Amino acid sequence: MDRLTVSQLSAGLRSGKFSSEELTRQSLARIEAANPSLNAFITVTGEEALTAARAADRKLASGNAGPLTGIPLAHKDIFCTAGTLTTCGSRMLANFVSPYDATVVSKLADAGVVLVGKTNMDEFAMGSSNETSYFGPVRNPWEVSRSPGGSSGGSAAAVAAGLVPAATGTDTGGSIRQPAAFTGITGFKPTYGRVSRYGMVAFASSLDQAGTLTITAEDAALLMEAMAGFDARDSTSADQAVPPYSKMLDESLAGKTIGVPREYFDDGLDPGCERAIRDALDVFSDLGAKITEVELPHLALSVPTYYIVAPAECSSNLSRYDGIRFGYRHPDARDIGELYTRTRQEGFGAEVKRRIMTGTYVLSAGYYDAYYLQAQKVRRLIRDELMRCFEDVDIVAGPTTPTPAFGLGEKIDDPVQMYLNDIYTIAVNLAGTPGISIPCGFSGTLPVGLQLIGPHFGEATLLNFAHRYQQQTDWHTKTPPPVSNDGAGE
Ligand code: GLN
């Protein structure tokens, strides 16, 4: 069994070609072999997984199985899972066991998936390279000296290397789409509010959204049918019916329109990426879609805007980590002040502290109007510009990232360079629209991601475009070289 998709595995399970227990054992064996090199998992839930797999096999035998019954899956370690560690990539939560499941976790469990483990990530999802994790960087299976992207880098590396057929992720500024692009897989970020944030450790609450890392858009559709939907425990969750995404994938693209923002092809774009993106647009033309140019004149402001809004929200969200109720606590403080200070000093890493300080500053009385309020206005401007595009086109397309995967260590000491890596993904979060990254070729030996952006609740349209493209091309079937068990680069 090579690197099969969720839909292929589902067919195999139903026809009795293999059992969920066999699949799960295989996934666990692959994790054990590859994790010393990739560092994609923080926790592996072997025993629990086998118990769940046997239950899935009984369900399959009884004929009551759904499309996800018995499929091994990994959750980004930002989703609370009752009874297992949820670290969020931080020392602060390195010992934290949640008393409840996130809605995403319980919904997928109800659909029958087998949880094999929790994946590594940038600390509190702050990062674009996975290097801010307290548990060490994840390595890109295409080249272990390179970053798999972040913050959902563990999930991306695990799917790309065939350790699991699918994983969850979260995307606040690009953390699903960018790692998907860097590892040659499909990363889907739904509309803000489409998937419940309940039990998802909060980073920037007006931007955070859960989504999927899979091999194909078809698999993203299958997972989304289980994950999406209204949740009374998340006040921003959308009270809208979930369409049968997997049944809407085959619609013809004839006569549909794709807008390509001129600003996505600036000097910063790697020529190899540009070539792959232009070729992908030609494939859409062959499928009958019309390609036109659109404008996002304030795109360049999306990075500075995001790096005011996101830190502001994070400084508020992360104030709960005080060493009192849960998580890390400095062991021998003399008074309450020292307990708070030392706990936060020792529990958080450098990037998280940088964000908390920036956020506190831009929200402070003297600077609120100059920074935070101004950023909110620009956010509105960027959102309006993107919405204006959808008056003329069905979707917007362009690169996911300016370059293919960069080297570990290359940008970690230069936050601005690191932040600029998100230039093409952030506007989508500021606007709250859905976006998907699909593999569309290579720059040298490294995968390139094509980003498709849709209007609010345009999930079905995006998945339809992505699926038609994947039926026409085989980039999503390209696999990285086998990862050896030698702890490369450690
Ligand atoms: N790279 C961005 C950041 O560091 C986005 C992270 C994310 O989407 N979680 O904030």
Side-chain angles (χ1 to χ4, degrees):
M1 285 176 271
D2 225 12
R3 197 185 75 165
L4 298 182
T5 65
V6 170
S7 107
Q8 288 165 331
L9 292 173
S10 181
L13 285 169
R14 282 143 179 279
S15 67
K17 216 163 154 190
F18 37 76
S19 67
S20 174
E21 185 172 345
E22 285 171 305
L23 266 189
T24 303
R25 283 190 191 282
Q26 184 194 53
S27 171
L28 293 169
R30 288 183 179 183
I31 294 169
E32 196 181 331
N35 213 44
S37 312
L38 297 182
N39 198 25
F41 281 81
I42 292 174
T43 303
V44 180
T45 48
E47 279 311 308
E48 298 92 323
L50 290 171
T51 307
R54 286 183 207 112
D57 282 330
R58 286 194 292 277
K59 193 141 197 199
L60 282 154
S62 74
N64 293 326
L68 299 180
T69 306
I71 302 288
L73 179 125
H75 283 305
K76 182 177 183 178
D77 210 14
I78 196 169
F79 292 99
C80 286
T81 44
T84 5
L85 283 179
T86 299
T87 71
C88 219
S90 182
R91 182 180 190 195
M92 191 60 96
L93 290 176
N95 63 359
F96 175 62
V97 177
S98 168
Y100 60 88
D101 278 335
T103 298
V104 163
V105 172
S106 57
K107 277 186 174 245
L108 284 168
D110 290 347
V113 305
V114 172
L115 175 64
V116 295
K118 309 282 298 284
T119 57
N120 200 348
M121 54 180 284
D122 279 301
E123 185 177 9
F124 285 103
M126 298 172 199
S128 309
S129 69
N130 239 282
E131 291 163 289
T132 72
S133 170
Y134 174 62
F135 300 91
V138 178
R139 296 173 182 284
N140 190 322
W142 287 92
E143 222 173 275
V144 291
S145 64
R146 290 183 186 268
S147 163
S151 62
S152 311
S155 287
V159 172
L163 313 187
V164 282
T168 54
T170 59
D171 192 313
T172 303
S175 279
I176 289 175
R177 289 161 288 154
Q178 185 252 21
F182 277 14
T183 58
I185 62 169
T186 299
F188 185 51
K189 176 230 173 273
T191 305
Y192 180 77
R194 179 70 292 189
V195 174
S196 169
R197 289 184 296 113
Y198 179 76
M200 206 173 100
V201 178
F203 162 14
S205 306
S206 77
L207 302 158
D208 296 343
Q209 189 52 213
T212 59
L213 292 126
T214 55
I215 298 166
T216 62
E218 182 186 13
D219 287 359
L222 288 170
L223 289 176
M224 276 297 293
E225 285 172 4
M227 288 164 67
F230 178 66
D231 181 3
R233 290 174 299 187
D234 170 5
S235 61
T236 57
S237 129
D239 197 358
Q240 280 200 29
V242 179
Y245 300 119
S246 66
K247 310 234 158 22
M248 301 161 81
L249 295 168
D250 290 318
E251 214 176 297
S252 162
L253 301 187
K256 302 256 170 86
T257 47
I258 301 181
V260 180
R262 183 183 323 171
E263 295 78 6
Y264 271 46
F265 295 86
D266 57 8
D267 291 347
L269 180 60
D270 163 80
C273 288
E274 173 160 3
R275 208 168 312 117
I277 300 299
R278 301 245 183 238
D279 289 349
L281 293 173
D282 288 344
V283 173
F284 281 109
S285 295
D286 294 345
L287 285 166
K290 202 171 131 248
I291 318 283
T292 68
E293 201 172 77
V294 290
E295 280 176 34
L296 293 174
H298 289 93
L299 183 78
L301 293 183
S302 61
V303 173
T305 303
Y306 173 88
Y307 280 98
I308 290 172
V309 174
E313 294 183 15
C314 113
S315 72
S316 164
N317 274 325
L318 271 59
S319 65
R320 74 191 65 177
Y321 303 104
D322 55 8
I324 306 293
R325 288 160 296 180
F326 51 82
Y328 178 74
R329 173 186 293 182
H330 175 73
D332 43 38
R334 281 162 305 181
D335 55 43
I336 187 81
E338 191 181 335
L339 176 65
Y340 289 153
T341 320
R342 298 289 295 271
T343 293
R344 289 168 70 81
Q345 204 169 60
E346 293 158 14
F348 291 135
E351 182 62 26
V352 172
K353 287 178 191 159
R354 184 178 294 131
R355 307 263 180 130
I356 292 173
M357 287 193 289
T358 312
T360 310
Y361 180 81
V362 300
L363 288 176
S364 60
Y367 295 100
Y368 181 92
D369 287 355
Y371 293 107
Y372 188 71
L373 200 64
Q374 189 68 10
Q376 292 291 31
K377 290 179 183 167
V378 181
R379 177 178 186 173
R380 183 62 194 222
L381 205 65
I382 292 168
R383 177 198 141 106
D384 288 350
E385 278 174 13
L386 190 58
M387 298 333 294
R388 208 165 303 125
C389 294
F390 295 121
E391 288 169 13
D392 303 323
V393 298
D394 293 294
I395 65 163
V396 165
T400 307
T401 58
T403 65
F406 50 82
L408 288 167
E410 211 176 285
K411 296 184 198 275
I412 193 67
D413 297 323
D414 188 345
V416 173
Q417 277 311 308
M418 189 71 94
Y419 297 170
L420 281 171
N421 198 254
D422 297 328
I423 178 82
Y424 302 136
T425 50
I426 276 179
V428 172
N429 302 78
L430 292 173
T433 59
I436 190 168
S437 179
I438 53 177
C440 72
F442 288 85
S443 175
T445 54
L446 297 167
V448 176
L450 170 74
Q451 180 175 216
L452 308 178
I453 302 166
H456 293 116
F457 299 99
E459 279 77 15
T461 307
L462 279 188
L463 293 165
N464 171 219
F465 271 84
H467 178 69
R468 292 303 304 249
Y469 177 82
Q470 291 183 330
Q471 285 187 312
Q472 212 64 31
T473 58
D474 65 357
W475 301 115
H476 59 287
T477 67
K478 305 284 183 214
T479 52
V483 180
S484 63
N485 184 12
D486 60 0
E490 290 295 310

